[in-house]
Every structure is written in C-alpha cells, then in structure tokens.
Amino acid sequence: MALPAVLQNLRLPVICSPMFIASGPQLVLAQCKAGLVGAFPALNARPAALLDTWLTEMQAELVAYRAANPHAIVGPFAVNQIVHQSNERLAQDIDVCVRHQVPIIISSLRAPPAEMLDAIHGYGGIVLHDVISIRHAQKALEAGVDGLVLVAAGAGGHAGTLSPFALVGEVRRFFSGPVALSGAIASGDAILAAQAMGADFAYIGSRWLATREANISDAYRQAILDSSAADIVYTNLFTGVHGNYLKKSIIAAGLDPDDLPQADKSKMNFSTGSSRAAKAWRDIWGAGQGIGLIDDAPGVAEVVDRLEQEYQAARKRLALQG
C-alpha cells in the first residue's frame, strides 16, 4: 500500500515522538526543518489557548523556511491527542487542530471516536494511533485510523512489553498501511532495522531529549547522558499506565525503584489540572532503553546528520554482505 502523501519525501523514514513537556515548538520546528516528522502533545501547550498560538506561529515559520530554502526537504508536524475521558481539553484541542488543518494527528490510549476521525479526514488529515498490543491495533483499525505506531518494549514514556519482532510481524499479517515502530531506536542502524522488520518508519523519542532544543532541565538532559538501559524502570505508578522512567529521578523523588507499588489503572488522570500527571513528567523523567547509545547533546540538525550517515552506512554494509 502506498504511503499517504504527507509521509512521503522525508529525509529519513523517521517520525519524532511527541514527548510530554520536552516537545515544544523549538524542538518540533528543528525536527521538521531537518526533514523529519516533528510532533508534540497538545497538552504541552498550557494554558489551552496557547495551542492556537503555537500552531499559528509554527505554520508561519515553516512556510517562510520553505520559501527561503526551496530545495530543502522539510517535514510536516503532528499533534498528539490523548483520547481519555479525563482529558477535558480533547474536544477543544481537536477543534483547534481542525481549524489549522494539522496534517497528522497521533492519537493515544484509546481509539479515537468517529466524530474526531471524520473531522480530521474532512480536510485531508491522517490519524496514526499508538498501540502496544494486537488487540489495541485491531480496535484502532476498526475505528478507522490511517496508520499505527507500534510501541514495543524499551520505548520511553508509556510503552508496552512485546518484542518489536513479534509486534511488527503479527500486525503485518493483517495490516498493510503505514506503520511506525518505537522502542530504543537511537541510531541510523536501528532505523534501517525497523524497516527490515516491516515497519515504514522509526518512531524516535529519547534521542531528542539530549538535544539543545528539548524543553527539559539541564539535570534531566545530563541524566540521559549518564544513564544506560539498566537505569530504566518500567512501572505504572506515576500515571496509571505502564511506562519507562529514569531510575535517577525516581530515587531523587524519595522512592525505591526496586520496590514501587502498583497504581490503580482506573485512577489514571490526564486532566490539565492534575498535579500527579504533571509531576510524572516534570520530576519523574521518562526515557527509553536506547539512552545507553547517547553520549552528547548537540542540536537537532547535527543529530539528524549523524542518523543519516549511520543509516546510509548500514545500507551499504548490508548490500556488500548480500
């Protein structure tokens, strides 16, 4: 199946993960200007009225950048929407995105309702949905989403436990549309590996935390550089949904990372007024198992240059072996 036009002609087959707090206009614009799909959660724009401002300014800047750089590959941006009853902003944020005709919406937690899909499809937008299991994938496709983001073991933030080999392989038995794979992807080699498994795109998050444009504290950025896969803790304590977090931040919060209680999933809350949800990303830092491959924090453009060099080198290496 041919990819939607908005996902064609990227510099690399990469969709950048929308990360709570960290993904703001500066990071997303740098990702788009580097030729990738940049993304941010709608809930990062606080207060809610800021979402309209961000979209207006980002769209204007990308139009100006394309005009000034007619030969550059410039990627589109995506907005992540949390589809959950506790997200009281969902309807309002969707209305803002529809008004701006955001080309890609990334939905998560629950399959988007028909009215949301109809509104996005009405102007030609597409919806990619985060899933961690085959059941979730099938429900999302039945609802009418255009593509899937497979969040496999090792991904930063909210993540699943399935091997990417199993998850991609099983999904490809019944779905031939756009698929992005997430889970410890931090190099050009891993981007090519995602494609070799059957995914169309690598879905990269944690690598962008260690960039100058990420909207995080210096302590958080340094913790990424200092940590490895062994320093990642998988727990549902902080949001009610299982995810991967930096052990160092859990210890700093006065908790024992080796003895964390289980949270009640029914209590998860994505309300903008929830202090617990805010703390989960401000003080308890999300990160994936790929951070052991990250040892510096340059700008996004330099990271993309490296990823492209590694990706092309991996392709040549495999061609020679073949």
Side-chain angles (χ1 to χ4, degrees):
M1 179 182 292
L3 293 173
V6 71
L7 292 175
Q8 297 178 16
N9 303 316
L10 300 175
R11 182 175 171 189
L12 286 169
V14 171
I15 298 173
C16 301
S17 172
M19 299 178 291
F20 281 113
I21 298 180
S23 297
Q26 185 180 14
L27 179 60
V28 174
L29 287 169
Q31 292 165 338
C32 294
K33 290 176 182 178
L36 313 181
V37 178
F40 70 96
L43 293 177
N44 278 4
R46 300 187 185 195
L50 189 59
L51 180 60
D52 180 70
T53 301
W54 278 10
L55 292 175
T56 299
E57 294 176 348
M58 291 169 66
Q59 288 174 321
E61 183 164 341
L62 289 177
V63 167
Y65 185 81
R66 287 188 178 100
N69 302 272
H71 302 296
I73 298 175
V74 182
F77 65 80
V79 176
N80 171 228
Q81 300 285 0
I82 302 295
V83 183
H84 190 264
Q85 67 265 25
S86 66
N87 179 11
E88 78 278 5
R89 281 180 44 175
L90 180 61
Q92 177 184 350
D93 287 348
I94 288 296
D95 285 345
V96 173
C97 288
V98 169
R99 188 165 69 250
H100 283 272
Q101 298 192 1
V102 172
I104 304 167
I105 298 295
I106 300 172
S107 56
S108 49
L109 277 191
R110 294 184 180 174
E115 58 270 21
M116 174 177 163
L117 288 167
D118 289 344
I120 296 162
H121 289 155
Y123 63 82
I126 66 170
V127 178
L128 308 178
H129 187 68
D130 276 7
V131 301
I132 63 171
S133 70
I134 298 303
R135 181 175 64 86
H136 291 154
Q138 292 170 332
K139 289 178 66 175
L141 292 172
E142 289 169 3
V145 303
D146 303 285
L148 300 171
V149 177
L150 309 184
V151 188
H158 294 146
T161 58
L162 289 179
S163 159
F165 293 96
L167 191 53
V168 175
E170 291 192 31
V171 165
R172 279 306 190 205
R173 298 180 75 174
F174 58 83
F175 181 59
S176 61
V179 165
L181 176 63
S182 174
I185 299 175
S187 68
D189 303 65
I191 295 171
L192 185 59
Q195 288 185 299
M197 275 189 277
D200 299 293
F201 303 95
Y203 196 72
I204 299 178
S206 299
R207 173 60 265 197
W208 311 116
L209 293 172
T211 61
R212 291 193 295 269
E213 293 89 349
N215 181 38
I216 61 174
S217 67
D218 289 340
Y220 188 174
R221 191 175 286 105
Q222 189 60 48
I224 295 291
L225 301 181
D226 294 340
S227 301
S228 65
D231 299 305
I232 299 299
V233 177
Y234 188 68
T235 177
N236 75 341
L237 175 62
F238 305 111
T239 67
V241 182
H242 274 92
N244 284 310
Y245 303 91
L246 281 170
K247 182 182 296 185
K248 184 175 182 178
S249 66
I250 295 173
I251 294 172
L255 300 170
D256 181 356
D258 296 319
D259 188 27
L260 294 174
Q262 289 287 307
D264 182 353
K265 185 177 180 180
S266 68
K267 304 297 184 183
M268 63 176 153
N269 190 337
F270 291 87
S271 165
T272 55
S274 170
S275 60
R276 182 178 180 185
K279 183 177 181 180
W281 308 109
R282 185 190 65 231
D283 304 319
I284 307 297
W285 301 328
Q289 293 178 2
I291 57 173
L293 302 178
I294 303 171
D295 54 16
D296 64 350
V300 165
E302 183 175 342
V303 171
V304 177
D305 285 345
R306 291 184 199 170
L307 291 174
E308 184 176 39
Q309 291 167 6
E310 294 166 354
Y311 177 76
Q312 296 299 342
R315 291 185 62 176
K316 291 178 182 177
R317 185 169 63 248
L318 290 181
L320 289 173
Q321 292 174 357

